[in-house]
């Protein structure tokens, strides 16, 4: 048995012994633990599972042990994820701190910032919001106007951020702020960590058509932010922002592919809802769409595998730049296909006339629209691909 196989076998044994049975079930949104000062565990088993994984260092296996990680290589981390997926183990902790800020801090943060924030993230003590977009700066993010004025020992922040997911539940927000208005717009931006309890911060939930309000607008009114909360150099925040976006887009490109949520796959739905003739799906159009979908997913799976292996071998490739676009568009195609297969059974938003799976299918269809906007819209991803992958000529001024 080689080292990796040996490791896999140890992981399998550990998970078998430590993952409670109740944590091997598909998870609902209400059962997810996002951490933070005000958070509570959805169940005693969820707490036990979280604490065991935290103590093992497997909340984020690849982070260094001194910051609460497991200190393992990306390849070993992948094995842990695969083995968790095999037994349908729930993700013990969710959060933008784990997925986005943490990796950016590891690269750009100073030692004091790493010590203060990384372990708090892993321990589920701090929940983070993302303060990038503004009412006048979404796709054109570098036009952001929220100002941080240098006041000697602190910055004074004024402005507002929009679409800040769950900001009303978060303890901290990582923000892009303008620190120089006299230079090219990308060169006057800094990256600040701001405590949401600071005087002068208010959040207003934004009501959505679904009746929910996961978004907020977050206002900063003369908010004092200590100088030590600046990540990287003053006016060099654009580099930190871009590095963080790479992690966000990678995460989004993989969404759905390893979701432990109980959602119907198109193949399962076809068996359950469609008519068959001579062992074939009777509706030729749906049959063909299903084949296309399966081929596309297989190709995406192989491309993820290729990019992982290329990264391990230190080979730079353009593939990661296309994956946010491809992954989120494929999720949308999947959702459209599912609704087509479910027919009128796919029209239930709530109520007892529909199963939980049918209701989830429609809700995920609505959510799949958002995924091609969040983290940079599909049109912007196509611009990135045109420029950086295909090398196409750019419009004047870009
Ligand atoms: C689910 C979700 C969660 C989010 N969470 C957060 C968060 O926590 N924090 C945060 O800061 N932001 C968040 N956002 C905001 C997100 O980053 C922005 O919505 C996104 O960057 C697009 O910006 P915008 O909404 O201002 O649209 P706009 O930039 O106004 O774009 C409108 C339309 O024009 C198109 N367009 C714009 N420019 C171009 C161009 N140059 N070429 C071609 N087409 C173009 C876009 O593709 C889009 O279709 C979230 C968004 C969603 C949907």
């Amino acid at each position: 048995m080689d080292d990796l196989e040996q490791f896999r076998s140890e992981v399998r044994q550990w998970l078998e012994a430590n993952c409670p049975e109740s944590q091997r079930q598909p998870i609902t949104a209400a059962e997810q633990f996002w951490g933070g000062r005000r958070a509570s565990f959805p169940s005693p088993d969820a707490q036990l599972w979280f604490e065991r994984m935290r103590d093992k260092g497997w909340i984020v296996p690849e982070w260094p042990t001194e910051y609460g990680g497991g200190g393992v290589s990306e390849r070993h981390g992948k094995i842990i994820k695969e083995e968790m997926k095999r037994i349908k183990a729930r993700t013990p902790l969710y959060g933008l701190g784990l997925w986005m800020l943490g990796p950016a801090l590891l690269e750009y943060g100073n030692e004091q910032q790493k010590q203060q924030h990384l372990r708090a993230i892993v321990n589920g003590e701090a929940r983070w919001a993302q303060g990038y977009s503004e009412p006048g700066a979404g796709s054109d993010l570098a036009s952001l106007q929220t100002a941080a004025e240098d006041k000697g020992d602190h910055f004074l922040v004024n402005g507002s951020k929009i679409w800040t997911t769950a900001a009303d539940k978060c303890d901290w927000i990582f923000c892009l702020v303008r620190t120089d208005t006299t230079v090219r717009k990308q060169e006057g931006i800094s990256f600040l960590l701001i405590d949401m309890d600071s005087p002068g911060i208010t959040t207003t939930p934004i009501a959505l058509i679904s009746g929910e309000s996961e978004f907020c607008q977050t206002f900063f009114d003369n908010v004092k932010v200590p100088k030590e909360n600046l990540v990287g150099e003053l006016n060099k925040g654009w580099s930190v922002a871009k590095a963080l976006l790479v992690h966000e887009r990678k995460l989004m490109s993989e969404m759905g592919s390893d979701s432990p949520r109980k959602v119907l796959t198109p193949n399962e739905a076809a068996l359950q809802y469609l008519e068959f003739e001579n062992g074939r799906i009777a509706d030729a159009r749906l049959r063909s769409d299903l084949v296309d979908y399966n081929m596309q997913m297989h190709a995406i799976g192989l491309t993820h595998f290729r990019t992982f292996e290329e990264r391990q071998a230190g080979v730079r490739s353009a593939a990661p730049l296309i994956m946010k676009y491809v992954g989120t568009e494929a999720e949308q195609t999947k959702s459209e296909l599912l609704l087509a297969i479910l027919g009128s059974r796919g029209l239930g938003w709530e109520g007892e006339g529909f199963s939980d799976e049918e209701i989830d299918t429609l809700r995920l269809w609505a959510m799949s629209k958002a995924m091609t906007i969040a983290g940079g819209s599909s049109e912007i991803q196509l611009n990135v691909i045109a420029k950086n992958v295909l090398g196409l000529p750019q419009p004047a001024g870009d």
Side-chain angles (χ1 to χ4, degrees):
M1 202 187 279
D2 73 12
D3 281 356
L4 289 175
E5 276 182 55
Q6 173 68 29
F7 181 72
R8 187 182 292 280
S9 140
E10 286 165 16
V11 171
R12 201 170 279 194
Q13 280 172 30
W14 189 88
L15 289 175
E16 208 47 67
N18 288 283
C19 183
E21 204 51 49
S22 68
Q23 301 304 296
R24 303 181 193 195
Q25 314 292 329
I27 196 163
T28 63
E31 290 167 324
Q32 294 174 349
F33 178 59
W34 289 76
R37 291 174 200 145
R38 284 155 287 188
S40 56
F41 286 95
S43 69
D45 269 1
Q47 179 167 3
L48 182 68
W49 173 226
F50 164 79
E51 287 172 356
R52 285 177 175 168
M53 286 290 277
R54 177 199 62 196
D55 295 347
K56 187 78 177 162
W58 285 0
I59 297 289
V60 220
E62 298 92 345
W63 286 10
T65 49
E66 63 263 41
Y67 308 127
V72 304
S73 71
E74 197 182 352
R75 198 176 281 285
H76 288 82
K78 186 164 177 275
I79 289 176
I80 296 170
K81 285 190 203 99
E82 286 166 359
E83 288 303 312
M84 285 176 68
K85 191 174 172 188
R86 199 183 59 80
I87 62 162
K88 300 191 172 60
R90 290 180 172 180
T91 301
L93 175 67
Y94 292 76
L96 305 195
L98 288 179
W99 304 324
M100 299 181 204
L101 178 68
L105 273 189
L106 280 170
E107 194 176 348
Y108 287 93
N110 60 34
E111 192 51 32
Q112 190 269 330
Q113 289 165 342
K114 291 180 195 171
Q115 292 290 351
Q116 181 183 356
H117 295 295
L118 294 179
R119 203 170 267 280
I121 290 170
V122 170
N123 288 349
E125 293 159 0
R127 182 170 177 178
W128 284 83
Q130 179 180 31
Y132 274 29
S133 310
E134 295 183 7
S139 300
D140 184 14
L141 185 59
S143 293
L144 60 96
Q145 296 295 326
T146 294
E149 211 184 322
D150 191 335
K151 292 286 184 185
D153 65 340
H154 67 272
F155 294 104
L156 199 62
V157 177
N158 280 288
S160 89
K161 295 289 174 179
I162 199 163
W163 314 125
T164 42
T165 307
D168 51 345
K169 301 182 185 69
C170 288
D171 312 297
W172 286 81
I173 184 165
F174 50 89
C175 271
L176 294 179
V177 290
R178 181 145 308 282
T179 39
D180 191 342
T181 52
T182 62
V183 288
R184 194 176 150 257
K185 56 189 180 181
Q186 285 84 352
E187 286 159 15
I189 291 172
S190 299
F191 192 101
L192 280 188
L193 308 178
I194 306 181
D195 188 331
M196 290 293 285
D197 283 344
S198 313
I201 299 187
T202 47
T203 56
T204 309
I206 301 171
L208 302 181
I209 197 168
S210 64
E212 293 166 10
S213 57
E214 68 183 57
F215 293 130
C216 292
Q217 184 161 4
T218 303
F219 298 90
F220 301 84
D221 183 13
N222 285 326
V223 176
K224 279 185 176 180
V225 181
K227 279 278 178 71
E228 61 259 29
N229 290 11
L230 173 73
V231 177
E233 286 176 50
L234 188 69
N235 296 323
K236 295 278 182 346
W238 192 243
S239 305
V240 188
K242 283 194 297 182
L244 189 140
L245 274 177
V246 170
H247 296 293
E248 180 174 7
R249 290 175 181 166
K250 177 168 180 288
L251 172 84
M252 293 186 63
S253 74
E254 292 166 357
M255 257 176 187
S257 65
D258 63 350
S259 167
R261 282 180 69 169
K262 179 73 193 111
V263 285
L264 276 173
T265 65
N267 293 354
E268 287 166 348
L271 287 169
Q272 209 171 313
Y273 290 89
L274 293 183
E275 283 181 18
F276 281 71
E277 274 173 12
N278 304 324
R280 299 195 321 170
I281 294 168
D283 185 316
R285 173 71 190 272
L286 283 178
R287 192 168 69 229
S288 156
D289 286 352
L290 198 62
V291 170
D292 285 349
Y293 164 76
N294 276 290
M295 284 166 55
Q296 173 76 345
M297 292 317 286
H298 188 60
I300 289 176
L302 289 175
T303 311
H304 275 306
F305 180 69
R306 171 161 73 88
T307 54
F308 176 83
E309 290 301 331
E310 282 173 343
R311 219 169 34 249
Q312 297 304 303
V315 175
R316 270 174 66 90
S317 105
L321 289 175
I322 67 166
M323 294 315 280
K324 197 268 170 177
Y325 173 76
V326 171
T328 54
E329 291 287 332
E331 273 301 300
Q332 249 178 37
T333 306
K334 175 173 120 183
S335 289
E336 296 285 349
L337 181 57
L338 273 166
L339 284 198
I341 292 172
L342 262 63
S344 59
R345 301 303 307 161
L347 297 176
W349 189 254
E350 57 193 5
E352 288 178 3
F354 296 91
S355 70
D356 289 349
E357 283 181 349
E358 288 166 348
I359 289 171
D360 272 357
T361 301
L362 184 59
R363 288 180 174 237
L364 284 171
W365 169 81
M367 192 61 196
S368 72
K369 307 288 176 199
M371 292 301 113
T372 52
I373 302 171
S377 68
S378 279
E379 291 77 14
I380 296 302
Q381 301 312 303
L382 287 175
N383 287 348
V384 169
I385 293 167
K387 183 176 177 185
N388 300 312
V389 181
L390 302 175
L392 295 179
Q394 297 300 298
D398 269 25

